[in-house]
Amino acid sequence: MSCFKFASRKTLFVVSLLAANVCAHAAGMVPDTSLLFIDEATHSGTISVKNTDSHPSLLYTNVVDLPDDNGLKLIPTQPVVRLEPGQTQQLRFILQNKEPLSVEHYKRVTFEGIPPKNDDNKIKIGINIRQDIPVLIRPAKLAVITDAWKYLEWTGTGSSVTVKNPSKYVVRLAQNVVLQPSNTSGALAKTYLLPGESQTVSMGKAISENSKVKFFPASRYGVEVPSFISDLK
């Protein structure tokens, strides 16, 4: 028996004071990969999503523009689809761009399962599980490079360090950065750098004695790779 009751797409908590049991369950819609890849050459991309719950649900798919990268339109061809328990659905996304792309772009996509209503009188705590993964949009004429973090440029002044991404690639990395040889640590504001973007980190003290910076890049699928050391200029 389902432990959920949802009247809308928003998370809803339903409590009945006449009941004596509390039932909670969470699994939801699970994508088969941690990154949705969109190729400008085909103006599309696909991903498969599985309903891991024991009840049928409506799968809602939503593409989320980031505040710093919102110039492209990406449309799911099936924004709402019903999935039976254990069923997998392949979803297709269509890219709409008026001009050829020159740099990679970055978005997010969410997959949310909405279970059917349950009208019994037991206390029910409804938890609407939403999967949220990144979307990488690659230009058709841009060569594939999997270690674009090597292009990052690090400069320091006073007690601050600035990192710039001069490449045409989105670079994903952990927020922690460590100066060497002092081992002074700081934190970036985000876990990605868009093409041409810069971020400045306050290290809390003078950095003049340092000549290197260690950071922790991630693969395109979000897997942490060995730390990387760059010159600090």
Side-chain angles (χ1 to χ4, degrees):
M1 180 177 292
S2 171
C3 302
F4 293 88
K5 181 174 182 180
F6 292 98
S8 69
R9 295 186 58 187
K10 297 181 179 179
T11 302
L12 184 64
F13 292 87
V14 180
V15 178
S16 172
L17 297 179
L18 299 178
N21 296 320
V22 176
C23 184
H25 177 71
M29 301 293 179
V30 179
D32 67 346
T33 178
S34 59
L35 172 73
L36 172 59
F37 179 76
I38 305 295
D39 191 348
E40 186 195 15
T42 61
H43 288 273
S44 66
T46 60
I47 193 171
S48 293
V49 180
K50 181 177 182 179
N51 179 9
T52 64
D53 281 323
S54 59
H55 51 72
S57 294
L58 292 179
L59 168 61
Y60 286 85
T61 301
N62 183 46
V63 175
V64 181
D65 288 336
L66 300 177
D68 46 8
D69 194 354
N70 56 10
L72 291 177
K73 196 166 186 179
L74 186 64
I75 302 172
T77 58
Q78 292 178 286
V80 182
V81 61
R82 177 187 170 96
L83 294 187
E84 298 298 324
Q87 182 181 356
T88 297
Q89 176 71 42
Q90 185 179 77
L91 303 175
R92 186 166 183 255
F93 296 77
I94 303 299
L95 174 66
Q96 295 183 347
N97 57 306
K98 296 180 180 179
E99 302 293 336
L101 301 181
S102 59
V103 300
E104 288 184 341
H105 289 266
Y106 201 52
K107 295 181 183 292
R108 309 287 302 186
V109 60
T110 62
F111 306 101
E112 185 176 0
I114 309 299
K117 293 181 181 180
N118 188 332
D119 294 323
D120 63 48
N121 292 322
K122 294 180 180 180
I123 294 177
K124 294 171 285 289
I125 300 177
I127 304 175
N128 206 3
I129 303 300
R130 178 182 298 167
Q131 301 284 345
D132 182 340
I133 66 172
V135 181
L136 185 66
I137 304 173
R138 187 174 68 84
K141 296 184 178 180
L142 187 64
V144 175
I145 293 180
T146 59
D147 58 351
W149 56 78
K150 65 187 180 183
Y151 297 122
L152 296 180
E153 298 174 350
W154 300 81
T155 56
T157 180
S159 60
S160 297
V161 170
T162 297
V163 55
K164 181 178 180 179
N165 178 13
S167 77
K168 296 181 179 182
Y169 302 88
V170 174
V171 176
R172 301 176 68 188
L173 70 171
Q175 291 175 270
N176 187 41
V177 296
V178 182
L179 300 184
Q180 295 185 336
S182 71
N183 285 325
T184 301
S185 295
L188 296 167
K190 302 185 301 180
T191 58
Y192 63 90
L193 282 163
L194 299 174
E197 185 180 18
S198 298
Q199 287 191 50
T200 298
V201 181
S202 176
M203 306 303 293
K205 62 180 181 179
I207 63 169
S208 56
E209 64 182 280
N210 296 281
S211 59
K212 303 284 184 180
V213 57
K214 181 167 71 172
F215 61 100
F216 307 89
S219 73
R220 297 200 163 196
Y221 288 89
V223 178
E224 186 175 319
V225 299
S227 60
F228 194 84
I229 297 177
S230 292
D231 291 331
L232 179 64
K233 301 177 180 179

